[in-house]
Amino acid sequence: MNDELDDMLKPREVPAAPAERQAQLLTCTMTQLKRTRQFSQVKVGALWVAVFLVGVSLGWLGLQREPEQLAIQTAPQASASEIPPLLTAAQIELQAEKSDDPVQTAQLYRQAGDRFLEAQDLRSALRCYRIHLNEGGPDVRAVLASDSWLLMNLKTTNVTRR
Amino acid sequence: MSEQAWHEQGLRDAALAGDAQAWRLLVEQHQDAVRRYLAWRLGGYRSVIDDLAQESWLIAARSLRRFAPERGAFQHWLFGIAGNVCRNHLRSRRRSRQQPLPVHLEPSEEPSSEERAERVAQALAELPEHYERLLRAKYFEEASVECIAQAEGQTAKAIESTLTRARAAFRELYQRETS
């Protein structure tokens, strides 16, 4: 079987291709080669054109876009009821005395009380808190987490008394 | 890279740059080898050799840029293309079995050799690529086992054993074609 296999797989002799066939082969492969080269040149050219167009488009889009507005946040204006931090406790108390609005008056007395307490002036703080509680009425008598220890104490005492 | 690889790279680059002389040189150097290889792959019938050779060369011209001399010789790259062309041809022939065989055999061969040629071609076309490569080296290129072992980077013993398996696979495929 090996002999038969050797025979089947032995190299076959073939006569050389006729001259005209060889010439034809050369002509058509050269044309193919030329076409391939032209195609690759066109591809490279197309790539450059595409890059140029993308660049132009990006530039054009950049010009069309409006300059971004800077988001400037202005500080909220202080409302009439808020007191600038530079005012002293006495000044706030004075404003509270001048105020006609009972709600604002109560608020200002409370702030004056807070300032006095910060300055360790317990007597003045006590005075201001008392006026705050009297002027503010039942709305301000509830104990709040933001209350100072003195105000909280006054509120609970008032409740107990009542 | 070997000297041959440098030479082939030079010719490839020149041909790609449009040098007709370089391409002519490549064709003239290898066209007979391609024809002989196709004859071997086709088991002996010759009428389609010219057409398949032309098709192989056209593909080679189209994809010359993909030929990498550092990975192998130009001739082996061409044989790869010709092998694929041959396989496609046999596959399409198998699909249209009713067509008469365009077989022209050597006058000395028996009439039954037509069938045998086709079976050999089909069996070679269906062999795994590494088996076909070894059989090609052994029978078509008539290389010694030592030479093949050196080219494949294996021992002679390993090549002998792979060759035995390749022969067995070929025989099995051939007998399947017969049945």
Side-chain angles (χ1 to χ4, degrees), chain A residues 81 92-93 95-97 99-114 127-141 151:
Chain A
S81 61
I92 300 170
E93 192 181 3
Q95 278 196 357
E97 280 169 7
S99 172
D100 295 324
D101 180 10
V103 176
Q104 193 183 11
T105 303
Q107 196 64 31
L108 286 166
Y109 271 115
R110 190 219 149 121
Q111 287 172 7
D114 287 344
R127 185 183 66 244
C128 286
Y129 281 147
R130 274 198 183 131
I131 300 170
H132 161 69
L133 290 172
N134 288 337
E135 291 288 323
D139 293 341
V140 298
R141 284 186 191 139
L151 183 57

Side-chain angles (χ1 to χ4, degrees), chain A residues 3 12 14 16-17 21 31 60 124:
Chain A
D3 286 346
R12 315 277 168 169
V14 277
R21 190 83 195 195
T31 311
W60 186 75
S124 303

